[in-house]
Amino acid sequence: MNPDPDYSAAYVVLRTDLPGLEGNGLCFTIGRGNDVVVAAIESLCPFIVGRPADDVVRDLGSFSADLVTDSQLRWLGPEKGVIHMAIGAVVNAAWDLAAKIAGKPVWRLLADLEPEEIVELVDFRYLEDALTREEALAILRAGRIGREERIATLERQGYPAYTTTPGWLGYSDEKLVRLAREAVAEGFTQIKLKVGADRADDARRMALAREAVGPDIRIAVDANQRWSVPEAVAAIEALAPWNPYWVEEPTSPDEVLGLAAIRRAVAPVKIAVGEHVANRVVFKQLLQADALDFLQIDACRVAGVNENIAILLLAAKFGVPVCPHAGGVGLCELVQHLAMFDFVAVSATTSDRVIEYVDHLHEHFTAPALVVDGHYLAPTEPGFSSTLEPGSLRAHEFPDGAVWRALRVG
Amino acid sequence: MNPDPDYSAAYVVLRTDLPGLEGNGLCFTIGRGNDVVVAAIESLCPFIVGRPADDVVRDLGSFSADLVTDSQLRWLGPEKGVIHMAIGAVVNAAWDLAAKIAGKPVWRLLADLEPEEIVELVDFRYLEDALTREEALAILRAGRIGREERIATLERQGYPAYTTTPGWLGYSDEKLVRLAREAVAEGFTQIKLKVGADRADDARRMALAREAVGPDIRIAVDANQRWSVPEAVAAIEALAPWNPYWVEEPTSPDEVLGLAAIRRAVAPVKIAVGEHVANRVVFKQLLQADALDFLQIDACRVAGVNENIAILLLAAKFGVPVCPHAGGVGLCELVQHLAMFDFVAVSATTSDRVIEYVDHLHEHFTAPALVVDGHYLAPTEPGFSSTLEPGSLRAHEFPDGAVWRALRVG
């Protein structure tokens, strides 16, 4: 579905008059259209420029709500697509700023909030038939128990990861087998393969991967929306001999009813979805319809930390594990904070939970995500891990950075 | 929900080297964010500029698909929000061009196509569990019977309309009553009131409107997404004494499950939804879930004529009447063509079907929609009725048109 990505990002810099302090956020795209997200971010400037930084970071619930509920901008969604992604980048930049001011990583800033403060960050509109404010408070209050031990666990051993590195379409069979073996040697207990382009290729690659990693390593597959509902059922049944752990995005991410139908048809194979789910209202319905086994939050598709807190609370209410989507540009850096907050304060467990890890582009960040022995290490730097290296930023700025100039000369 | 709209449009001009011929399309917005849609339209230029006009109009299925399925741009949706609306404006402009070249209004150009040509225009991906290509063909072949009589009916008496003119929030009670009476005198058999801001106001205004129009005129109400699912059920029940005909957008347009729950709870009051529904996949599910009584297509939210044909076919398959959303800038002009095509070639009936009409901003179009005795007259001018008067275009162009300059001086 994404045959020719040109990994890109719209990068937000919230400048302040606090010495040396700025908030950074980003929206990952796969190339064309990055400028459209930039234009959407620029359309938010009137809501941001001149606002006292103290006010923003003191009330991030209102800051987020002002952007999400502006009636004229809302027309462009509502609460989906480019404008929602742009709001996400800005809201996440404000969280980065708040965490830098507080001197904490975002996961810890969130985990240190009281339950009453956390629910103030959430827009419960349209959620009440599945999750009330009072139910959210009860979940968060229960999440206080054992909090210190979980923080210590995170700081000691990190959060479990899985890797998509071996499984890209286009890799030779030899490379797939070699990378799958390496992943196991590096401590991963789950890998993921891309599927959906060709049925025979999928079966051959799945068989090779299973042979390479043995029966005990989980192999997830990712169809990136390639199938209709009946095609998905047939394609997943064809992979059953090699015991796929979950099937990710078997069809359109808008398919509440279709994903539920697929899930019923292919059990015990599990369904994972979320990287392209538009907002908390669609996630709510996926949960209500029993349409997914794993909920894959994304840091850059919904309206930032605030909406992701709503989604984490919904998942906790329905008892569905959250396994964040990552990769791209900066997604690993961002989602690790959300998953760790989930562990400390919401779900209170890492059972059946893993964060995706893809081993590229981390060198462009000042505090890159670190994965050791199949675990994300808990970030310690203040902020959201979303600040680009100044040199990378200069070199890749479109259209005048050195990388772009060299491409034009070439 | 939309308290302070500033009616705007992103306007597309497809220039050709055919003398005097250009294609015009638009995307209606309510103000802020219009520039974001413009940026999205500009991002489509590489797919359009330099393409032979003949190729475009000869294969509008491929033209639409090239835009909708581009993998990098698709990341920004997928198939929703700003990028999808921008594609809609461009695809509709191409239809305007095709119709001008053919010397026919768009409704007639569409109605003159063979069933086999029409299905070539449609992307059936993700629809197969509800509507196959073969089922679509069968619907269209059945629609050939009585075609000439229906064209004659349209040309003689037009297509039924209803009016939203009396019902805006903010009108005094006296104005509401006067406009409601005027609407009946003008031949309308259905009016619509905006509701959802205040429960007591809604009841008072509904009572006044019912008294003004009598028991036989249909009064629809439009909540513009103001309610959660339980709020909607309570609010609609409170209006029942005045016999509301349909309730429009009682909650989030993403709410497949919630709208179905509301519909079950408030029957026999009917549910209408669609102006903010993101794409054909969500419409499909609304139909599968029995979540709506009236499907309100919108000319500028989905990806243009091609996707709207898919939606008309889905509605026909499920036997749900299509009552297009209109108003704003140019929506009346555009949707009349789609509804008339539906009557001639798809549903083959106007029973229970009406097109919304709002009596403003038509003067800016070279061939404005004409409503007489409560009916849209069938357009006769070649094209999509989407060409702006040159003087209006010059005066309103942002930021340098005379209207904007005067606002800045003011």
Side-chain angles (χ1 to χ4, degrees):
Chain A
M1 208 65 165
N2 307 315
D4 59 347
D6 182 8
Y7 281 10
S8 305
Y11 187 61
V12 173
V13 181
L14 297 182
R15 292 202 175 79
T16 73
D17 48 15
L18 304 169
L21 267 183
E22 61 181 42
N24 302 128
L26 59 82
C27 176
F28 167 54
T29 73
I30 60 172
R32 275 185 293 283
N34 200 68
D35 284 350
V36 183
V37 180
V38 171
I41 290 168
E42 284 170 352
S43 79
L44 301 173
C45 285
F47 294 84
I48 304 164
V49 175
R51 206 159 165 161
D54 283 355
D55 289 359
V56 170
V57 304
R58 195 183 311 120
D59 187 0
L60 285 159
S62 295
F63 181 72
S64 169
D66 286 351
L67 300 175
V68 172
T69 66
D70 175 70
S71 65
Q72 295 186 11
L73 293 175
R74 193 177 180 279
W75 187 268
L76 305 185
E79 301 190 42
K80 58 179 68 68
V82 167
I83 193 69
H84 212 50
M85 295 160 83
I87 291 171
V90 170
V91 167
N92 285 345
W95 276 97
D96 179 60
L97 180 64
K100 285 171 177 166
I101 290 174
K104 299 177 183 181
V106 160
W107 72 268
R108 187 62 201 255
L109 174 66
L110 285 168
D112 286 348
L113 294 175
E114 297 293 327
E116 293 73 15
E117 294 174 303
I118 295 171
V119 294
E120 286 300 313
L121 298 168
V122 172
D123 180 359
F124 285 95
R125 179 177 282 204
Y126 303 135
L127 301 187
E128 296 94 322
D129 56 325
L131 178 74
T132 64
R133 184 191 192 81
E134 290 65 38
E135 289 170 324
L137 263 177
I139 290 166
L140 292 162
R141 285 176 182 149
R144 303 293 284 184
I145 301 162
R147 183 178 164 282
E148 295 303 329
E149 294 87 326
R150 289 194 296 279
I151 291 173
T153 300
L154 275 184
E155 291 177 337
R156 193 174 61 247
Q157 68 189 43
Y159 193 106
Y162 74 96
T163 178
T164 311
T165 298
W168 300 95
L169 294 174
Y171 281 7
S172 70
D173 289 351
E174 292 68 28
K175 186 168 182 180
L176 161 66
V177 167
R178 175 172 54 79
L179 292 174
R181 289 198 181 120
E182 283 176 15
V184 176
E186 286 166 19
F188 291 101
T189 57
Q190 176 175 335
I191 65 170
K192 191 164 79 183
L193 304 189
K194 300 282 183 178
V195 296
D198 179 272
R199 200 76 80 77
D201 281 349
D202 292 347
R204 191 189 70 257
R205 295 171 66 252
M206 188 76 191
L208 286 169
R210 177 55 73 204
E211 198 185 325
V213 302
D216 298 331
I217 298 292
R218 293 168 169 174
I219 306 179
V221 300
D222 183 355
N224 285 113
Q225 314 169 28
R226 294 291 287 255
W227 299 314
S228 69
V229 173
E231 285 170 348
V233 172
I236 296 166
E237 283 172 354
L239 294 177
W242 301 283
N243 192 21
Y245 177 54
W246 78 46
V247 178
E248 188 169 323
E249 287 202 316
T251 189
S252 163
D254 301 333
E255 270 285 10
V256 172
L257 302 180
L259 286 163
I262 294 167
R263 181 168 178 263
R264 283 192 300 272
V266 304
V269 178
K270 297 176 190 302
I271 300 297
V273 69
E275 75 173 87
H276 276 88
V277 170
N279 58 43
R280 71 198 186 288
V281 179
V282 183
F283 275 116
K284 180 191 75 168
Q285 295 176 79
L286 290 166
L287 292 162
Q288 289 174 313
D290 292 324
L292 78 180
D293 296 280
F294 299 103
L295 189 157
Q296 300 179 296
I297 56 169
D298 184 285
C300 297
R301 178 130 340 242
V302 303
V305 168
N306 297 64
E307 188 165 8
N308 266 316
I309 295 173
I311 296 164
L312 294 175
L313 288 164
L314 282 165
K317 166 80 186 291
F318 284 84
V320 169
V322 172
C323 297
H325 169 242
V329 179
L331 296 182
C332 298
E333 278 67 25
L334 290 160
V335 291
Q336 60 182 340
H337 292 271
L338 301 171
M340 292 180 192
F341 162 66
D342 179 61
F343 173 52
V344 175
V346 185
S347 70
T349 177
T350 57
S351 174
D352 283 331
R353 285 152 172 89
V354 274
I355 308 173
E356 184 166 18
Y357 182 67
V358 185
D359 181 17
H360 64 189
L361 302 178
H362 303 291
E363 66 276 18
H364 299 298
F365 290 88
T366 60
L370 292 174
V371 170
V372 176
D373 290 339
H375 287 70
Y376 274 83
L377 303 189
T380 55
E381 286 283 311
F384 210 164
S385 310
S386 48
T387 299
L388 287 170
E389 282 284 358
S392 290
L393 191 55
R394 272 194 308 277
H396 291 84
E397 193 168 8
F398 184 81
D400 294 324
V403 170
W404 291 102
R405 284 203 312 272
L407 280 172
R408 282 199 296 277
V409 171
Chain B
M1 208 66 164
N2 308 314
D4 59 346
D6 182 8
Y7 281 12
S8 306
Y11 187 61
V12 173
V13 181
L14 298 182
R15 293 203 174 79
T16 74
D17 48 15
L18 304 169
L21 268 182
E22 61 180 44
N24 303 126
L26 59 82
C27 175
F28 166 55
T29 74
I30 60 171
R32 275 186 294 282
N34 200 68
D35 285 350
V36 183
V37 180
V38 171
I41 290 168
E42 285 170 352
S43 79
L44 301 172
C45 286
F47 294 85
I48 305 164
V49 175
R51 205 160 166 161
D54 282 355
D55 289 0
V56 169
V57 305
R58 196 184 309 119
D59 187 0
L60 285 159
S62 294
F63 181 72
S64 169
D66 286 352
L67 301 175
V68 172
T69 65
D70 175 69
S71 65
Q72 294 186 12
L73 293 175
R74 192 176 181 280
W75 187 267
L76 305 185
E79 301 191 40
K80 58 179 67 68
V82 167
I83 194 69
H84 213 50
M85 296 161 81
I87 291 171
V90 169
V91 167
N92 285 345
W95 276 97
D96 179 62
L97 180 64
K100 285 172 177 167
I101 290 174
K104 298 177 183 182
V106 160
W107 72 268
R108 187 62 202 255
L109 175 65
L110 285 168
D112 287 348
L113 294 176
E114 297 294 326
E116 293 73 14
E117 294 174 302
I118 296 172
V119 295
E120 286 301 313
L121 298 168
V122 171
D123 180 358
F124 286 95
R125 177 177 284 203
Y126 303 135
L127 301 187
E128 296 94 321
D129 56 324
L131 177 75
T132 65
R133 184 189 190 81
E134 291 64 39
E135 290 171 324
L137 263 178
I139 290 167
L140 292 162
R141 285 177 182 147
R144 302 294 284 183
I145 303 162
R147 183 177 164 284
E148 295 302 330
E149 294 87 326
R150 289 194 295 279
I151 290 175
T153 300
L154 274 184
E155 291 177 336
R156 194 174 60 246
Q157 68 189 42
Y159 193 107
Y162 74 95
T163 179
T164 311
T165 298
W168 300 94
L169 294 174
Y171 282 6
S172 70
D173 289 351
E174 291 69 28
K175 187 168 182 180
L176 161 66
V177 167
R178 176 170 55 80
L179 292 174
R181 289 198 180 121
E182 283 175 16
V184 176
E186 285 165 19
F188 290 101
T189 57
Q190 178 176 334
I191 65 171
K192 191 164 80 183
L193 304 190
K194 299 282 183 178
V195 297
D198 178 273
R199 199 78 79 79
D201 282 348
D202 292 347
R204 192 190 69 256
R205 295 170 66 253
M206 187 75 191
L208 286 169
R210 177 55 73 204
E211 198 187 326
V213 303
D216 298 331
I217 299 292
R218 291 169 169 173
I219 306 178
V221 301
D222 183 354
N224 286 111
Q225 314 169 28
R226 294 291 286 256
W227 299 315
S228 70
V229 173
E231 286 170 348
V233 172
I236 296 167
E237 283 172 353
L239 294 177
W242 301 282
N243 191 22
Y245 177 55
W246 77 46
V247 178
E248 187 170 325
E249 286 202 315
T251 189
S252 163
D254 301 332
E255 269 286 10
V256 173
L257 302 179
L259 286 163
I262 293 167
R263 181 168 178 263
R264 283 192 300 273
V266 304
V269 178
K270 297 176 190 302
I271 300 298
V273 69
E275 73 172 270
H276 277 88
V277 170
N279 57 44
R280 70 198 187 289
V281 178
V282 183
F283 275 117
K284 179 191 75 167
Q285 294 176 80
L286 290 165
L287 291 162
Q288 290 173 312
D290 292 325
L292 78 180
D293 296 280
F294 299 102
L295 189 156
Q296 301 180 295
I297 56 169
D298 184 286
C300 297
R301 182 142 321 255
V302 302
V305 167
N306 298 64
E307 188 165 8
N308 266 316
I309 295 172
I311 296 163
L312 294 175
L313 288 164
L314 281 164
K317 165 81 187 289
F318 284 84
V320 169
V322 171
C323 297
H325 170 242
V329 180
L331 296 182
C332 298
E333 278 66 27
L334 290 161
V335 291
Q336 59 181 341
H337 292 270
L338 301 171
M340 291 180 192
F341 162 66
D342 180 61
F343 174 52
V344 175
V346 186
S347 70
T349 177
T350 57
S351 175
D352 283 331
R353 285 150 172 91
V354 274
I355 308 172
E356 184 165 19
Y357 182 67
V358 185
D359 181 19
H360 65 190
L361 302 179
H362 303 291
E363 66 277 19
H364 299 298
F365 290 87
T366 59
L370 292 174
V371 170
V372 176
D373 290 339
H375 288 69
Y376 275 84
L377 303 188
T380 55
E381 287 283 311
F384 210 163
S385 310
S386 48
T387 299
L388 286 170
E389 282 284 357
S392 289
L393 191 54
R394 273 195 306 276
H396 291 84
E397 192 167 9
F398 184 81
D400 293 324
V403 170
W404 291 103
R405 285 203 309 271
L407 281 172
R408 282 200 296 277
V409 172

